[in-house]
Amino acid sequence: MTDKLAIETKDLTKNYGKVTVVDRLNFHVKENEVFGLLGPNGAGKTTTILMLLGLTEPASGMVRVFDFNSTREPLKVKRIVGYLPEEVGFYDNLTARENLRFIADLNNIAPSETERRIDEVLEMVGLTEERDMVTRKFSRGMKQRLGIADVFIKQPKLVILDEPTSGLDPSGINHLLDIIAGLPKMGITVLLSSHQLYQVQRVCQSVGILSKGKMVIEGSIDELGREAMAGGRFMIEVETAEPKAGLVDIIKKIEGVEKIEADGTILKISTDSDLRSQISKAVVDNDALLVQMKVHEFSLDDIYMKYFKEN
Amino acid sequence: MIAIIRKELADHFNSIRFLVLFLLVLVAVGGGIYAAKQGIREALEASRAVTEDGFVFLSLFTSSWGDIPIFTMVIAIVIPITGIVLGFDAINSERTGGTLSRLLSQPVYRDSVINGKFLAGIITITIMAGTAILLVGGFGLIWFDLRPYGFNMTGIGVPFPTPEEIIRLFLYFVITVVYGAFWMGLSMLFSVVFRRAAGSLLIPMVIFIIFYFFWVFLGFGGAIANAVSPITGSSDIATQIQQAGMQQTILRLSPSYLFREAYAVLLLPVAKGLGVITVAQARFMVANPISLTQSLLAIWPHLIGMVSLSAICFAISYIIFMKQEIRAT
Ligand SMILES: Nc1ncnc2c1ncn2[C@@H]1O[C@H](COP(=O)(O)OP(=O)(O)O)[C@@H](O)[C@H]1O
Ligand SMILES: [Mg+2]
């Protein structure tokens, strides 16, 4: 993995009327990584992607794709970026092959090379049998797969997939995720937009979580994991009726307790595992009256769910 | 852009829409030939006012017989309809079909999409108008027997067109294509503005009906012009001419009227091509031949007018489309 950036945004902002849909977004995607753009519906993922491709103009801020300014040099960006829109459509009077041929034609690919690539990408998504069928007869899932094939026709350096797993059955999802996971090795960077955390977690090296147009958290999955670990994988909150002086010291001695903070009647204890029974025993042994005890698990899920709930 | 033109042309030629339009053109041709067979004598007499023998070849296109309409009149209806039908869903069908996002995420300029579709449409209209004119002309050349009309000929078929006739016919062909392009530009404009094809088909059709059927065909335009600027018999000649000029200007607000004036001057160069001219009327007009150069001068503003109208439609579609967001939902 290099440190060259495939995508870089600076205070990227988009308004629709008075509503700010994307709000001073700053994030970057490194070359040859799979970046997951996560967020509930309406978070602004698609809008961000449209700005990356120069398909809509930002209100302010800047976005660069492989050092090209997407707003000012959209063509240079489009030459190297393959984009799968949220609702992909095809010319339904044409066959799968003819649809791909048109896209190849738009990308100035030589005819002989075109045919070779078409066979290759159709094979990749498992549509070889259906290549001469008019796309009118395609199911939603088949269209989605043809959309994936379409993205690879121009041999992009970056692919942007907007909710690519919608409309696919579980085996289709797995197949797609396998394809995506293999792309960095082929020198292709991926921006994967999704509201499905588990799919993203499976294939992404980095994620950014978007909520109401703001980037809530961004970084590599390793970093984010460590960050969560540093604060303790578990956060246990203990509330006692009257805190006793020695209690803090006793709890500190329990194996696995990393940190303890006293805040009035509440003790915030960071641990590396679920130590609720040991802690409650210590509290009772110390004759402190236990009011309540809560366990709080830190993970990407939590962060994500928190913003999910708000929406 | 070549790729887009290529695809659009293939689409046009494979569509049922094209087939239906082509049938319409054939109806125009059939009607024209039949009318010519029946009414060429009148047309010849009318155009004989110009040259000794008359514009024999052009008469093929300007003959009418009873209720069978003149070829040019049918074309004046068929070509706008062709333009509208070729353009009304140019952009919005791509939008609703979800192909616009895919198309515009390829390395093509947005204007090439409009340009490509527009050019493919013009090529299609050119082919249709060209076929129609060639068919009528061709039938005339090989099939017409002019001897009963007092022509001293050895065989069957109208004489080969004179250079002047060829130029006039070619210009007629050009303005017909420009006229079709205007209607296509208009319907493409609506295909950019409206998300639904029903709206972008209906509105240009209504505009056409107003401008052609009401304004020109039913004479509402004349009535309005007359009401706005009545020619009063009591006023002096200068005022009357001014009033007539004003009426003319009002009438020319309709592109259909412009087109009609222009082709009348080109194909029926009997009197200065003002107002509505039918062969029947032309017969009674004072012989007032105008030369090819004069005809050209007379229709030049019309041609410019129609080209500008198309350009305006085109420019507006272009500006709106460039600013539009391309969202696939
Ligand atoms: N053309 C538009 N006009 C006004 N609001 C819009 C428009 N398009 C999208 N939005 C709003 O922008 C927000 C973000 O949309 P979007 O980027 O599509 O979210 P996501 O892809 O994350 O689901 C949503 O609240 C949506 O309603
Ligand atoms: Mg979206």
Side-chain angles (χ1 to χ4, degrees):
Chain A
M1 236 172 263
T2 59
D3 282 314
K4 213 175 145 195
L5 295 182
I7 299 175
E8 191 187 2
T9 71
K10 202 183 246 169
D11 292 334
L12 192 61
T13 304
K14 174 82 190 176
N15 310 311
Y16 287 117
K18 285 204 185 84
V19 188
T20 303
V21 178
V22 174
D23 195 359
R24 280 163 291 150
L25 205 61
N26 288 295
F27 75 100
H28 60 265
V29 176
K30 289 198 212 84
E31 199 177 5
N32 292 339
E33 73 171 357
V34 180
F35 183 92
L37 189 59
L38 274 164
N41 289 323
K45 303 182 295 293
T46 301
T47 310
T48 305
I49 290 173
L50 294 183
M51 288 189 283
L52 289 178
L53 284 160
L55 290 179
T56 191
E57 269 191 45
S60 62
M62 185 222 49
V63 49
R64 298 184 79 83
V65 174
F66 284 104
D67 282 338
F68 296 123
N69 184 314
S70 300
T71 315
R72 265 184 265 127
E73 313 165 286
L75 239 56
K76 287 183 179 150
V77 171
K78 288 170 187 171
R79 229 167 252 142
I80 50 173
V81 179
Y83 166 52
L84 176 71
E86 209 165 354
E87 305 251 321
V88 64
F90 293 91
Y91 299 105
D92 59 10
N93 55 326
L94 302 183
T95 64
R97 178 183 279 280
E98 286 165 341
N99 267 289
L100 295 183
R101 206 178 273 150
F102 176 52
I103 297 298
D105 202 3
L106 290 172
N107 282 284
N108 284 322
I109 299 167
S112 56
E113 172 70 6
T114 298
E115 300 308 314
R116 195 186 63 73
R117 285 196 201 173
I118 289 175
D119 290 338
E120 193 180 291
V121 294
L122 285 178
E123 162 102 60
M124 183 174 88
V125 297
L127 281 176
T128 308
E129 301 272 292
E130 291 85 357
R131 65 182 167 218
D132 291 317
M133 193 161 137
V134 288
T135 53
R136 187 183 13 236
K137 296 184 187 152
F138 273 32
S139 69
R140 173 116 162 70
M142 283 158 79
K143 279 189 185 162
Q144 194 72 16
R145 279 189 283 158
L146 186 56
I148 310 277
D150 180 83
V151 162
F152 289 105
I153 274 287
K154 64 168 104 162
Q155 298 189 334
K157 283 172 77 178
L158 168 69
V159 299
I160 297 180
L161 309 171
D162 198 356
E163 311 267 2
T165 53
S166 60
L168 292 180
D169 54 23
S171 79
I173 292 176
N174 277 333
H175 182 57
L176 176 60
L177 291 178
D178 287 343
I179 293 176
I180 293 173
L183 292 175
K185 265 184 254 122
M186 295 160 62
I188 299 174
T189 313
V190 183
L191 177 76
L192 172 65
S193 137
S194 179
H195 61 269
Q196 314 255 13
L197 176 68
Y198 296 100
Q199 295 173 3
V200 169
Q201 256 178 337
R202 222 185 93 184
V203 293
C204 295
Q205 281 89 52
S206 302
V207 291
I209 298 178
L210 212 55
S211 170
K212 294 178 184 162
K214 287 198 171 78
M215 194 62 93
V216 185
I217 190 166
E218 186 218 342
S220 75
I221 289 206
D222 298 346
E223 267 169 39
L224 293 179
R226 238 180 290 124
E227 217 166 83
M229 285 301 205
R233 191 149 170 66
F234 286 83
M235 171 72 102
I236 298 169
E237 282 183 16
V238 178
E239 189 177 354
T240 52
E242 338 153 20
K244 290 264 162 61
L247 186 56
V248 171
D249 291 332
I250 292 170
I251 292 175
K252 241 182 202 158
K253 282 188 199 113
I254 299 171
E255 200 181 330
V257 171
E258 287 165 350
K259 216 170 115 202
I260 182 161
E261 273 173 48
D263 182 9
T265 57
I266 297 171
L267 295 175
K268 287 182 177 171
I269 309 160
S270 302
T271 63
D272 63 1
S273 57
D274 192 353
L275 299 175
R276 270 178 294 180
S277 43
Q278 289 90 323
I279 292 170
S280 61
K281 186 170 176 292
V283 171
V284 173
D285 288 352
N286 203 238
D287 287 341
L289 286 173
L290 183 62
V291 177
Q292 64 160 335
M293 184 152 73
K294 279 191 299 195
V295 65
H296 189 79
E297 193 182 356
F298 264 144
S299 75
L300 215 50
D301 286 41
D302 276 334
I303 301 163
Y304 190 54
M305 290 314 285
K306 181 176 159 214
Y307 291 99
F308 237 131
K309 244 180 266 156
E310 281 179 11
N311 284 271
Chain B
M1 191 167 78
I2 304 286
I4 295 172
I5 297 178
R6 200 154 40 209
K7 174 184 166 293
E8 288 296 315
L9 279 178
D11 277 358
H12 285 334
F13 292 131
N14 288 320
S15 65
I16 293 173
R17 192 185 290 193
F18 179 80
L19 205 71
V20 172
L21 290 174
F22 209 82
L23 281 178
L24 263 180
V25 169
L26 290 184
V27 167
V29 170
I33 290 170
Y34 189 71
K37 208 123 176 85
Q38 305 300 328
I40 197 161
R41 180 194 294 270
E42 291 186 356
L44 275 172
E45 281 169 7
S47 72
R48 208 169 262 167
V50 185
T51 59
E52 195 67 358
D53 288 335
F55 285 123
V56 184
F57 193 73
L58 290 188
S59 300
L60 285 171
F61 298 89
T62 55
S63 312
S64 69
W65 180 66
D67 286 339
I68 304 289
I70 314 170
F71 171 77
T72 48
M73 270 174 73
V74 184
I75 287 294
I77 298 170
V78 170
I79 287 295
I81 290 177
T82 304
I84 292 173
V85 169
L86 289 178
F88 79 98
D89 64 349
I91 301 297
N92 51 13
S93 70
E94 299 247 9
R95 204 186 280 286
T96 46
T99 48
L100 194 59
S101 304
R102 244 166 18 91
L103 180 58
L104 288 178
S105 64
Q106 308 308 324
V108 285
Y109 290 105
R110 264 192 213 197
D111 48 330
S112 324
V113 175
I114 295 196
N115 292 346
K117 283 175 182 271
F118 194 71
L119 282 177
I122 289 187
I123 293 173
T124 311
I125 293 175
T126 306
I127 291 171
M128 290 208 181
T131 313
I133 291 172
L134 289 178
L135 278 179
V136 174
F139 268 109
L141 283 175
I142 57 170
W143 195 57
F144 253 79
D145 191 355
L146 279 173
R147 279 167 299 186
Y149 305 117
F151 275 82
N152 211 357
M153 311 199 46
T154 47
I156 286 178
V158 294
F160 199 76
T162 62
E164 172 167 354
E165 280 179 313
I166 292 178
I167 294 172
R168 284 180 181 275
L169 204 55
F170 180 74
L171 287 172
Y172 168 64
F173 167 62
V174 171
I175 60 161
T176 303
V177 171
V178 171
Y179 185 55
F182 160 71
W183 289 103
M184 189 175 61
L186 189 71
S187 67
M188 272 178 72
L189 168 59
F190 287 106
S191 86
V192 172
V193 177
F194 287 95
R195 303 265 151 156
R196 292 179 45 153
S200 58
L201 176 62
L202 201 61
I203 292 183
M205 281 291 184
V206 168
I207 295 177
F208 171 65
I209 288 170
I210 291 171
F211 275 158
Y212 181 73
F213 282 100
F214 289 164
W215 198 261
V216 178
F217 195 79
L218 296 178
F220 283 14
I224 291 169
N226 209 17
V228 174
S229 167
I231 298 174
T232 40
S234 50
S235 39
D236 57 73
I237 293 293
T239 322
Q240 284 192 20
I241 290 176
Q242 201 187 347
Q243 284 158 342
M246 182 65 192
Q247 286 201 5
Q248 184 117 51
T249 312
I250 293 170
L251 277 168
R252 283 180 180 160
L253 289 176
S254 158
S256 302
Y257 187 81
L258 276 185
F259 175 62
R260 197 186 177 113
E261 265 196 347
Y263 79 70
V265 169
L266 284 171
L267 299 183
L268 274 173
V270 179
K272 195 164 180 302
L274 306 178
V276 180
I277 294 177
T278 65
V279 174
Q281 283 175 313
R283 190 151 51 125
F284 300 110
M285 282 184 175
V286 190
N288 180 17
I290 52 173
S291 68
L292 181 58
T293 344
Q294 279 173 313
S295 301
L296 279 179
L297 285 175
I299 65 141
W300 187 243
H302 297 70
L303 187 62
I304 298 289
M306 281 192 276
V307 171
S308 331
L309 282 175
S310 317
I312 290 170
C313 289
F314 199 68
I316 299 175
S317 334
Y318 180 83
I319 292 167
I320 298 176
F321 188 52
M322 292 307 266
K323 290 273 161 207
Q324 262 175 0
E325 176 175 282
I326 309 302
R327 190 180 276 269
T329 37

